Amino acid sequence: MARIAGVNIPTNKRVLIALQYIHGIGPKKAQEIIEKVNIAPQRRVNELTDAEVLHIREVIDRDYIVEGDLRREVAMNIKRLMDLGCYRGLRHRRSLPVRGQRTHTNARTRKGPAKPIAGKKK
């Protein structure tokens, strides 16, 4: 099992798909990495040599923000909005939808399970 950016990527999948197991790397960035390292897209992780895995690791470390650093950066951005007291920060603080979605109905993912209101039987 290859370990890149602190993540064990699956060995039996294609490199393009396996790289997407790393937080911060999606289909587009995985394609860019494969092109930089000159690996065929249909190759599987278990077919890679140690040198190729090392080269992939170096490219990711040098050119991309992934995993812990990315999570920390996102958390700091949210904390900054909350400290500013701007509208988006207030929405984050109250755990309500931030991007203008309705909350009268729906928004259950963000608000959590519905809480019953006492005395509202009829």
Side-chain angles (χ1 to χ4, degrees):
M1 194 173 262
R3 189 166 178 84
I4 298 174
V7 177
N8 292 330
I9 59 174
T11 53
N12 56 345
K13 293 188 185 274
R14 291 182 325 170
V15 179
L16 183 71
I17 303 300
L19 284 175
Q20 295 178 37
Y21 279 71
I22 301 169
H23 179 76
I25 295 180
K28 184 81 174 157
K29 287 186 181 178
Q31 186 67 43
E32 288 174 10
I33 292 166
I34 286 175
E35 287 170 5
K36 284 181 185 176
V37 182
N38 293 324
I39 293 175
Q42 65 273 11
R43 287 193 54 197
R44 301 202 176 257
V45 176
N46 56 6
E47 299 170 0
L48 295 177
T49 64
D50 290 339
E52 288 172 328
V53 172
L54 184 66
H55 197 215
I56 290 172
R57 195 176 297 136
E58 288 171 355
V59 167
I60 290 174
D61 288 343
R62 184 182 65 229
D63 298 337
Y64 300 98
I65 300 172
V66 292
E67 282 302 321
D69 294 336
L70 180 63
R71 292 180 206 272
R72 194 174 311 108
E73 186 177 318
V74 170
M76 290 302 294
N77 288 342
I78 292 171
K79 187 178 182 323
R80 178 180 52 81
L81 289 171
M82 289 166 64
D83 291 345
L84 281 173
C86 66
Y87 182 76
R88 280 173 59 200
L90 296 175
R91 302 300 282 183
H92 274 293
R93 203 178 298 162
R94 296 178 186 159
S95 10
L96 290 169
V98 176
R99 298 187 179 177
Q101 297 92 329
R102 66 179 291 137
T103 56
H104 179 70
T105 60
N106 303 340
R108 288 273 63 110
T109 302
R110 190 77 178 141
K111 290 166 80 173
K115 299 166 198 78
I117 300 169
K120 195 174 182 186
K121 207 133 196 179
K122 286 187 183 179

